[in-house]
Amino acid sequence: QSVLTQPPSVSGAPGQRVTISCTGSSSNIGAGYDVHWYQQHPGAAPKLLIYSNSNRPSGVPDRFSGSKSGTSASLAITGLQAEDEADYYCQSYDSSLNGYVFGTGTEVTVL
Amino acid sequence: EVQLLDSGGGLVQPGGSLRLSCAASGFTFSSNAMSWVRQAPGKGLEWVSGIFGGGNNPWYADSVKGRFIVSRDNSKNMVYLQMNSLRAEDTAVYYCARFRGSGSSYAYSFDYWGQGTLVTVSS
């Protein structure tokens, strides 16, 4: 059972903007630990999309952006494209569990 | 180019053992902490274990502590996961992943992943 909660699904038309929330608690995001985001296409390994709350690895389009506030974080995708259809996971560290935790995952559908 | 190649998965009976391997290339292996992350069929991601570049102080998720052992051989650029006393709930695709981060381990993310190897625990 994940300690980071995400909406099961979000959808948008091509070109639109969608956001995915990641809600934690005082032992993870609220404790100041960094939040990272991953994209996973069906049958493929996850890919790092955003690290340390708002940083993009080389090669990740600037359509993807991350933010963090309090006990929550968000991933925004602007200019939605068909290739963005995938599952997205947030990740942080939890001091109560003494380990890394992932969000419940969000399926993004491009209408 | 960073590459991670996972292997060793298969079908094992409950209570049995299995050893997973991960072959790394394209980076200075001994300088990077490594990890294992798993994903049960149709489910989300779960961190399993981590090991620092020098092989010291491995750490584990509570769900596998005392049953799984992570190790590495820096001379061969390999990381291993010895899985003992396997249970049905250990059934998952297991990914080897490289930790990203040079500061506190609390801030680590996973920047490169293997293709995954499927472990099925069933009688």
Side-chain angles (χ1 to χ4, degrees):
Chain A
Q1 52 280 32
S2 302
V3 298
L4 303 180
T5 302
Q6 300 178 229
S9 63
V10 300
S11 61
Q16 284 191 330
R17 179 180 187 270
V18 298
T19 62
I20 301 170
S21 61
C22 174
T23 302
S25 67
S26 59
S27 62
N28 42 69
I29 299 175
Y33 296 116
D34 284 355
V35 178
H36 320 287
W37 291 89
Y38 302 85
Q39 177 191 60
Q40 185 179 32
H41 287 105
K47 169 190 173 183
L48 180 64
L49 208 58
I50 297 287
Y51 67 92
S52 299
N53 307 316
S54 59
N55 298 283
R56 284 185 307 276
S58 174
V60 173
D62 59 6
R63 303 186 293 104
F64 296 92
S65 63
S67 63
K68 173 188 154 184
S69 178
T71 58
S72 296
S74 291
L75 173 72
I77 310 173
T78 58
L80 198 62
Q81 299 182 4
E83 66 208 51
D84 300 333
E85 201 161 90
D87 292 328
Y88 293 80
Y89 295 91
C90 59
Q91 175 248 315
S92 186
Y93 181 87
D94 190 282
S95 58
S96 294
L97 299 175
N98 290 314
Y100 305 94
V101 290
F102 287 92
T104 49
T106 298
E107 180 181 23
V108 169
T109 301
V110 181
L111 302 171
Chain B
E1 179 190 3
V2 173
Q3 288 192 331
L4 300 173
L5 186 61
D6 307 318
S7 62
L11 175 64
V12 61
Q13 291 188 338
S17 298
L18 205 59
R19 188 176 88 151
L20 306 183
S21 300
C22 171
S25 61
F27 63 101
T28 305
F29 182 68
S30 60
S31 297
N32 285 87
M34 299 295 294
S35 184
W36 289 94
V37 177
R38 68 184 181 184
Q39 186 170 34
K43 302 297 184 182
L45 300 167
E46 180 189 14
W47 171 75
V48 172
S49 71
I51 186 167
F52 289 110
N56 53 311
N57 298 329
W59 66 113
Y60 303 91
D62 287 344
S63 58
V64 306
K65 199 173 296 181
R67 300 188 299 124
F68 289 11
I69 300 171
V70 62
S71 62
R72 63 191 295 160
D73 184 338
N74 287 343
S75 69
K76 296 181 179 178
N77 285 9
M78 297 287 295
V79 62
Y80 306 99
L81 186 67
Q82 177 67 42
M83 304 185 296
N84 302 318
S85 302
L86 282 162
R87 307 165 179 166
E89 55 264 37
D90 296 318
T91 294
V93 173
Y94 284 73
Y95 295 101
C96 168
R98 190 180 80 166
F99 275 119
R100 184 201 176 281
S102 57
S104 167
S105 62
Y106 303 137
Y108 281 178
S109 57
F110 308 94
D111 63 352
Y112 288 94
W113 299 64
Q115 84 287 0
T117 186
L118 176 62
V119 173
T120 303
V121 184
S122 174
S123 55

